[in-house]
Amino acid sequence: MRWGVLVGGTGSNLKAMLTSGFSVSLVISHKAGVKALEIARDYGLESCVLMPKDYPDRQAYDAALVEQLSRFGIERVAMAGFLRWLTPETIARYPGAIVNLHPSLLPAYPGLHAIERAFSDGVLWSGVTVHFVDEGHDTGPIVAQVPVPRLVGDALADFEERIHAAEHALYPQVLKALDRGQAALIDGRVEYKKENDQWMHGH
Ligand code: GRF
C-alpha cells in the first residue's frame, strides 16, 4: 500500500513512523516551514504544502489535496497533526483508508487541546487513540487505544511527554497492522483478524 501522511506541526509521529521502518510515499502539510517538512526532506520523501489561504473554500482545498494524493498514487492516508477537517467527499473517496491519531481516549476529549483539557480536569488516566476518519470531529470507528496515567507530581509538560511517547509507540504499530490487513473497516465497524491482534492495545 502507498501511504500518504498529512502533517502540520512538529512531525514527531512522522519521524516515529519512519524510524520504525514504515514506508511513507508522500507528506502533505497544511503549513509551510514546519518541522514535519524538514523531517520529510531529511528522509528524502516527496512532500508538498497546501495552505488553506490559497484556496477559496474547503471544497477547493480538498480538491487540491486529492489531486496530490492521486498524483502520487496514494491509497491510504495517515493524519498526524493535520489540523483540518476533511470534506465528506474526500472521506468518501478513500473508504476505510484514512486514519487519524488523537491524544486522548476518545470519545473523551475530542477536538483541540485534548491533553491540556484532560490535565486541567485532573483525570488520572487519559491516553491515545487511532481511529478511522468519518464525517464527524474525532468520532470515527476506533482502531487502537492505549491508556496513559497522570502521575503524582506531573506538570502538564510531563503528562504531555508521556502521551506523546505513547503515540510514537502506538501509531507505527497500528499503521503496519493496517497495512498488513490485520484490521479493516467493514460496514462502518472495525473488524480485526484474530491472530496477533495485541497491537490494538499497544502491545
Ligand atoms: C499529536 O499529538 C496528534 O495526536 C495530534 O497532533 C499531534 C501531532 O504531533 N493529532 P506531531 O506533529 O506528530 O509531533
Side-chain angles (χ1 to χ4, degrees), residues 1 8 22 35 37 42 44 46 52 57 59 61 85 89 98 108 110 126 130-131 142 167-168 175 178-179 186 197 199:
M1 288 280 172
F22 181 73
K35 187 95 194 297
L37 288 166
D42 289 349
E46 297 284 356
D57 54 28
Q59 268 62 32
Y61 184 87
W85 304 113
E89 293 75 23
I98 308 178
S126 187
V130 180
H131 65 93
I142 291 168
E167 292 187 316
H168 302 156
L175 294 174
L178 290 172
D179 192 62
I186 315 275
D197 57 4
W199 55 267

Side-chain angles (χ1 to χ4, degrees), residues 16-35:
M17 291 172 208
L18 296 167
T19 55
S20 82
F22 181 73
S23 167
V24 174
S25 302
L26 175 67
V27 173
I28 300 181
S29 175
H30 68 81
K31 251 187 176 175
V34 290
K35 187 95 194 297

